[in-house]
Structures are given as C-alpha cells and as structure tokens.
Amino acid sequence: MKQDLVAGIDSSTQSCTVMLRSLENGKVIAQARKLHPPTTPPCSEQDPQAWWDALVSALTELKQWWPRIAGLAVGGQGHGLVMLDNHDRPLRPAKLWNDTESAPQARELCEKIAPEEWARLTGSVPGPAMTISKLAWTEQNYPGLLEKAHRIMLPFDYLVYRLSGSFVCERGGASGTGYFNPFTNSWEPQLAAVVNSQIDWISRWPTIIPSHQPAGVVKLMPELEELAGAIVGVGTGDNMSAALGMNLKTGDTGISIGTSGTLYGITRKGITDSTGTINGYADAADRFIPMITTLNSAKVTDTFRKMLRVTPDEFDELALSSPPGANGLQLVPWLDGERTPNLPDATGHMRGLRTTTTMQDMARATVEGVLCGLLAGGLVLKQHGFTDDGRIVVTGGGAKSRAYRQILADLTGKPVWISPVGETAAAGAAIQAAAAVLGCTNIEMADRWSVPLEKVAGPQQDARHVLDAYVTYANALSGELQ
C-alpha cells in the first residue's frame, strides 16, 4: 500500500491530538484526541507514561490508516523537565511549564548570573516556567537526583525518544530550556553548572539536529508494530509548531488562547529583553519567534463560565451583549499566579463591581482581561522593534469563541483571522513530518501546503481605550505585588 500520509502530533498539557494529513496536498484525512491527567498550579506535574499512553491510544484509534503513514512528528508543551535513569525510567513525575514551585529558584538564578547575561546567551531570563529553574528546584528538593539522571529532556523529546530510540532535539524547543543559545544553536552548560557544577551536563542533554531533519524511524514495538519504519521528525515546541501550521510570515501576529496564552511573531533577528517580559525563542525554521506568555487564558473564561452556570455559547452571547469596558468592570486574570508579569503568587483582581453589574458585564470583563494581558505584552514586543503590520491569527481552544474573536478585533481595531486547518500545532507537526519524509525545509513544506486564512471578525466598536485602562491598572497592581 502506498505511504501517502503523515501524522502530526500535538502533545499538550491537556491532551494528545493526532492529525493525519495527505502527503500530496496537506488535506486533513482523520484526527483523534485523548486526554492527559489534569493539573493545576502551583504544583503541576504529570507522569511521562501518561503522555505515551495517550499517544498510543490516539494512534490506535486511527489504526486503519497505519499502513499509509510515511512519517510522524511531535509538537508539544515546552519547558517541562523529564529525567530518565539508565533504564529509561522517569526518576519522578515531570514538572510542567505551568508549575510555579520553582519561583524561588528562578530568582536565585538571576542573583547568581545577571538577567542581562541570561538574555544575551539564551534570549530569555529564568522564570518558574523555564527548565533551568526546575533543575534548580530538583537539586534543592531532591539532592542527588540530578546525578542519577541519565537523560534530561523536554516532554516532546521524550515522545520522540520513545518512538524512535533517538535522543535528539532541535533549536525551537530547546530555546525554552534556559540553557540553550538560539543565536549560536548550541548548549550553554556553564549556565546549568550554576545548579550543579559536578555534572557533565552535555552528556545528559539531547543531540541538537536541524528542525527539518528526521530523528530516526519508529522502532519495532508491540503496541505500534505496523508503524515500524515510519520516519520520525525531530519535533518542536507547540507554539513553534502552530506557527508552521498557520504559515505565519514576518509582520503577522499569532495569538494562542489555550491553557496558556501566547502572543508571538516571526523575526529574522533575535530579540533579547533583560526584564524577562519577552522570551526570545528560536522557531523551527531557522528564524526567531519572540513571545509573550501568560499563565491564565481560556481556563479563566472556563472558571467564570462555570460560576455563571452557562454554556460556552451562552457565555459568548453574554460577553457580546456588554459594551467595551464592561460598564467599568475590570478583571486582571492572574487566577493561578502569573508568568507575564512574573508574579507566581498573585491572584485575580476585579474592580468596578456595582449593584448594577450584570452577568453580561462579568463575561465581557473576563474576555477583555485575558486578551488585554496578552496585548499588553504585545506593546512591549513593539518597543523592541517587533513589526505587527500583518494579520492577527488566532489559534487554540479560545479561537473558536465568537466573543474572543470579536472582542480581539475591537481591542486592536484590526480583523481577526484563523487557519481553516483547525488544530494548528498538530497541523504544524504534520508539516514537520512531511519535510522529514520529503527531504525539504519546514518553510518549503509550509508554503507547499499553505491554505488561505479565514477572516472571522472585524472591528465593530472601538475598544482600544480598554487596553489602555488595563495596562494602567495592571502595572499599578504589579508594582504593589512585587
């Protein structure tokens, strides 16, 4: 049988999605999704075996297509810390990107090495999300455990390793560790030596290969026997993968509204920010993807929706029935602590409540708070030379919400677009798999499969003043809490 399909895998915090696409034209053929164990900060951990079980289960649901699958690649949640012993067993549950227990260690790292030096070498400043901070947390809370780690990797690197037996990674995902240099595409072991100077760090980290190259092939194993020999792409971070899936170009702004919120774009030159507001990541196509990340996104609207006891559609209707500014109601949505700004112990703040406040105002203020948190970061990106004269493209679960789409258009005064392919991180992983199979670059593959974006909202009311008011309120609040 002809092998004319590739599988794109998105192993996110919440679930594992597998998307099958035609190798010829990128058409989506089938899709399956399996849940991961739920987590809630400050301690957010998962057993790596749960990711593997979800991946195998999702692939098995698509078993009728296995003989046609030529290649696979994994886009996954970034920053998480996976440590394996010399028998490839996890030494403890993986600490995830949204685990904030390592906040004290992140601060200590910036006391040992200046933030300016971290930014110069890695494009980012350590925060609780970064893998380097989780290494420091492990060293302090489990003395001796790091020495027992035979392999240290990111969550999607673990899945690539389980699939292929190849211990490799690439620049996009690696740039979220806090010890990889995206400007030279090399590890910086002296940064990890601050955590423990006795460990040979290079020997414990994956080999770096180009983002479009194969990691290897699916090894023979009982649960995936019929997939043995299929090419395995090296994988990348979920936002880097989504950027491929949407085929973002310089000037475009990508906004992901999922468990976390991200705002990012593509640049030819890396951006550094010693304040830590911007993460100067590498992308999966030899460019850079400077990014703002917030800890609180669609989970916030889910929380308030449940409080109001309405369905998602009813929540959207409520939010769109209140005017810009929600009749004076403002929400700073730091419900689970916050990453941008770096306030891991913060909580949410709402002001402007009156006896006249309605459910509609509550819903509107919630959506505005989540979006303004991201757009406030976007203003910082522009101060560092980021160009946003292209399109605003949204993805993630929140991108399906009419309220998020319309209010984003009103807050920015610009149209909002989506990719019709749908699950963009899985779609981008499929692009990476196809590039590995066909021997081309990820950019070439993304262009080959490119489909026109769909406009889903245009500005109807001028709400730009709402962002100005949010920035003023959030900045004042942040100053009080720091």
Side-chain angles (χ1 to χ4, degrees):
M1 183 177 290
K2 185 178 180 181
Q3 289 184 306
D4 58 351
L5 302 178
V6 287
I9 300 160
D10 173 24
S11 182
S12 71
T13 317
Q14 294 181 331
S15 62
C16 178
T17 300
V18 178
M19 175 186 288
L20 301 184
R21 302 185 71 176
S22 164
L23 193 54
E24 180 182 359
N25 55 26
K27 180 181 177 182
V28 177
I29 304 300
Q31 193 167 295
R33 179 174 180 262
K34 300 298 176 182
L35 294 178
H36 288 157
T39 70
T40 300
C43 179
S44 181
E45 299 179 346
Q46 289 171 337
D47 182 352
Q49 181 65 37
W51 308 330
W52 178 253
D53 291 342
L55 172 57
V56 171
S57 181
L59 281 169
T60 300
E61 190 173 310
L62 303 170
K63 194 168 186 176
Q64 69 185 93
W65 306 99
W66 284 11
R68 294 174 57 184
I69 295 177
L72 312 86
V74 184
Q77 54 174 315
H79 307 307
L81 173 60
V82 179
M83 299 178 295
L84 305 184
D85 64 16
N86 57 0
H87 298 291
D88 288 337
R89 296 173 302 201
L91 286 166
R92 69 176 312 279
K95 282 195 110 45
L96 306 189
W97 63 273
N98 60 346
D99 184 292
T100 56
E101 288 189 318
S102 59
Q105 288 75 29
R107 288 191 290 268
E108 291 169 8
L109 289 170
C110 289
E111 292 170 359
K112 294 176 179 177
I113 298 177
E116 292 80 7
E117 185 70 358
W118 286 105
R120 184 183 72 83
L121 290 174
T122 72
S124 301
V125 175
M130 294 286 182
T131 315
I132 186 76
S133 304
K134 301 179 193 306
L135 287 175
W137 180 91
T138 303
E139 178 70 7
Q140 291 188 20
N141 288 274
Y142 294 87
L145 194 63
L146 290 178
E147 282 91 342
K148 296 179 181 178
H150 187 61
R151 303 182 194 277
I152 295 173
M153 62 187 82
L154 297 171
F156 51 90
D157 295 333
Y158 171 80
L159 292 175
V160 169
Y161 183 61
R162 288 289 300 264
L163 284 166
S164 66
S166 299
F167 188 43
V168 295
C169 68
E170 54 76 63
R171 65 192 296 270
S175 64
T177 61
Y179 44 83
F180 174 82
N181 189 323
F183 313 110
T184 62
N185 292 330
S186 60
W187 296 120
E188 297 284 356
Q190 78 277 14
L191 298 178
V194 174
V195 174
N196 186 319
S197 61
Q198 303 305 308
I199 292 176
D200 178 7
W201 290 104
I202 291 290
S203 70
R204 287 164 166 81
W205 293 336
T207 300
I208 303 160
I209 66 174
S211 302
H212 63 280
Q213 282 193 5
V217 299
V218 177
K219 61 185 181 181
L220 185 63
M221 59 190 107
E223 62 265 53
L224 299 176
E225 187 173 358
E226 294 175 57
L227 283 174
I231 289 174
V232 180
V234 64
T236 191
D238 49 7
N239 287 293
M240 295 76 179
S241 184
L244 285 176
M246 295 183 287
N247 199 21
L248 287 191
K249 302 297 184 183
T250 303
D252 292 338
T253 300
I255 297 179
S256 176
I257 307 167
T259 303
S260 65
T262 56
L263 183 150
Y264 52 85
I266 301 298
T267 60
R268 295 291 176 185
K269 185 178 180 181
I271 290 176
T272 60
D273 171 27
S274 61
T275 71
T277 301
I278 300 171
N279 294 122
Y281 299 141
D283 80 338
D286 297 323
R287 303 167 301 187
F288 294 86
I289 184 167
M291 188 179 301
I292 301 294
T293 305
T294 60
L295 198 60
N296 299 276
S297 190
K299 201 172 183 180
V300 176
T301 37
D302 285 344
T303 298
F304 278 86
R305 178 180 59 78
K306 291 173 183 175
M307 288 182 186
L308 297 175
R309 298 182 179 180
V310 294
T311 67
D313 286 342
E314 290 169 339
F315 187 88
D316 281 354
E317 191 63 38
L318 288 172
L320 294 172
S321 298
S322 180
N327 288 312
L329 191 65
Q330 284 182 291
L331 173 69
V332 175
W334 301 335
L335 273 62
D336 288 329
E338 189 46 79
R339 174 172 172 176
T340 308
N342 184 17
L343 298 168
D345 299 320
T347 57
H349 291 257
M350 181 172 275
R351 73 171 183 177
L353 278 167
R354 304 180 66 87
T355 55
T356 55
T357 297
T358 64
M359 291 173 63
Q360 288 86 344
D361 297 334
M362 190 80 71
R364 177 93 189 194
T366 302
V367 176
E368 288 181 342
V370 171
L371 289 175
C372 284
L374 287 166
L375 294 173
L379 296 176
V380 179
L381 269 177
K382 289 189 68 174
Q383 292 170 6
H384 284 75
F386 177 74
T387 302
D388 66 349
D389 55 359
R391 295 167 295 186
I392 295 177
V393 191
V394 291
T395 186
K400 301 170 185 175
S401 160
R402 290 187 302 116
Y404 269 117
R405 294 171 173 182
Q406 186 56 57
I407 293 172
L408 178 59
D410 293 341
L411 287 169
T412 60
K414 297 178 67 172
V416 173
W417 304 77
I418 64 166
S419 168
V421 177
E423 302 285 347
T424 56
I431 287 172
Q432 200 177 19
V437 169
L438 298 177
C440 63
T441 68
N442 291 337
I443 291 179
E444 290 169 342
M445 202 67 238
D447 285 339
R448 191 179 304 182
W449 281 1
S450 184
V451 294
L453 298 174
E454 294 179 358
K455 179 181 173 182
V456 291
Q460 294 181 354
Q461 305 176 82
D462 190 349
R464 286 173 288 184
H465 64 283
V466 176
L467 176 57
D468 295 337
Y470 177 92
V471 169
T472 300
Y473 178 31
N475 285 346
L477 191 58
S478 177
E480 293 175 10
L481 296 174
Q482 287 178 337

